[in-house]
Amino acid sequence: GAEGGGARRRGAGSTSADGAGGAASATPEAPPPPVTVPAPRSGWLKRRAEVEANPEGEDYLGQWYTATVKRTDAKEGARAEVEYEELVESEEPPVKLVEWLPIARLRPKAASAYPPTTAAGATSSAAAASSSSSASAQAGPVAPCTPDEWLSALPRGAPVELFRDDAWWAGCLLGPADEAAAAHPDTGLCDSVRQEGDQIYMVRWANFATLPPVVVPTSCLRPLWEYNATQEEWTLKQELYDAPED
């Protein structure tokens, strides 16, 4: 990530925050049934709790950083003061960034669950929704699937989250990447950690369309779950982004 705003660390948007590209487009026919998993009940936002926080500002659109709650304030419209694990106010001497955020920019540690997979190996939200029916009993959705099973079943344009520069970012999956792309100075792995056995994928930034897509290993990708505080659950984002073939 580029530096900006003094010593405060910035994300990809710091180099170009002009517009969020790739607006999600719903399937022209019936949308897939929702896939949800339960989230922690009320009480997760408390002192010393580890949460994920989305800093304010266009440069941080769709980015979630690990933070620790220092205190809460219900009188000011439900907000909390958090200390970021990686974002800093200054580097010499090192001082972690502390700021107040509204509850809308805070969430419990994100769901890491992968959607169910059918016996054939393809992930399927429909299988998850119909798992109780007799028709699907034979195939029998199996959960959890492995990350590579999940990724290999996703179509081009599928929403994902990628880990880069100490944060989880909204991304648009373009497909498998090759080793040449992984070594490219503009799209390469950079500081992403590629673990043994990781496959590599090309992913476009969902909110920063002017930046080039990047190569991301399996261990730095996860489903894009959206937190609903009212329903106290995570909902899997499934609407595809526009991702025409080059």
Side-chain angles (χ1 to χ4, degrees):
E3 300 293 331
R8 179 167 173 165
R9 297 189 54 186
R10 309 298 260 179
S14 59
T15 58
S16 176
D18 55 346
S25 59
T27 307
E29 300 177 358
V35 176
T36 62
V37 295
R41 294 287 175 178
S42 56
W44 61 267
L45 188 62
K46 58 186 178 181
R47 189 166 177 260
R48 295 194 181 95
E50 190 174 86
V51 297
E52 290 188 351
N54 173 219
E56 294 186 298
E58 291 183 354
D59 286 352
Y60 293 102
L61 189 63
Q63 300 167 47
W64 293 90
Y65 292 82
T66 298
T68 301
V69 177
K70 294 178 68 69
R71 51 180 171 162
T72 60
D73 184 359
K75 296 180 180 179
E76 294 293 332
R79 61 176 190 155
E81 185 183 44
V82 300
E83 178 181 81
Y84 292 95
E85 182 66 29
E86 298 295 342
L87 287 178
V88 296
E89 189 68 47
S90 66
E91 294 183 348
E92 292 296 337
V95 178
K96 292 183 178 181
L97 178 64
V98 176
E99 66 179 355
W100 284 94
L101 289 175
I103 194 170
R105 291 188 173 273
L106 299 167
R107 67 187 188 185
K109 294 289 286 184
S112 59
Y114 292 94
T117 180
T118 65
T123 57
S124 169
S125 58
S130 62
S131 59
S132 60
S133 69
S134 58
S136 64
Q138 294 181 354
V142 178
C145 64
T146 67
D148 279 316
E149 285 177 333
W150 163 68
L151 284 163
S152 64
L154 292 180
R156 184 182 177 88
V160 296
E161 277 193 318
L162 64 138
F163 190 78
R164 191 115 168 177
D165 293 335
D166 305 318
W168 287 98
W169 308 63
C172 167
L173 185 71
L174 300 181
D178 56 33
E179 294 298 331
H184 194 279
D186 292 332
T187 63
L189 292 174
C190 296
D191 58 354
S192 294
V193 179
R194 185 177 182 181
Q195 300 181 6
E196 184 177 357
D198 270 352
Q199 302 297 314
I200 52 176
Y201 297 86
M202 189 67 75
V203 182
R204 192 189 71 206
W205 308 98
N207 297 309
F208 302 101
T210 58
L211 297 182
V214 290
V215 176
V216 187
T218 303
S219 55
C220 292
L221 288 167
R222 71 183 185 188
L224 203 169
W225 294 95
E226 297 179 325
Y227 178 63
N228 186 318
T230 302
Q231 299 295 326
E232 294 182 329
E233 66 183 11
W234 295 94
T235 300
L236 182 68
K237 181 175 175 60
Q238 300 180 81
E239 296 85 0
L240 300 184
Y241 291 105
D242 292 327
E245 297 284 349
D246 295 332

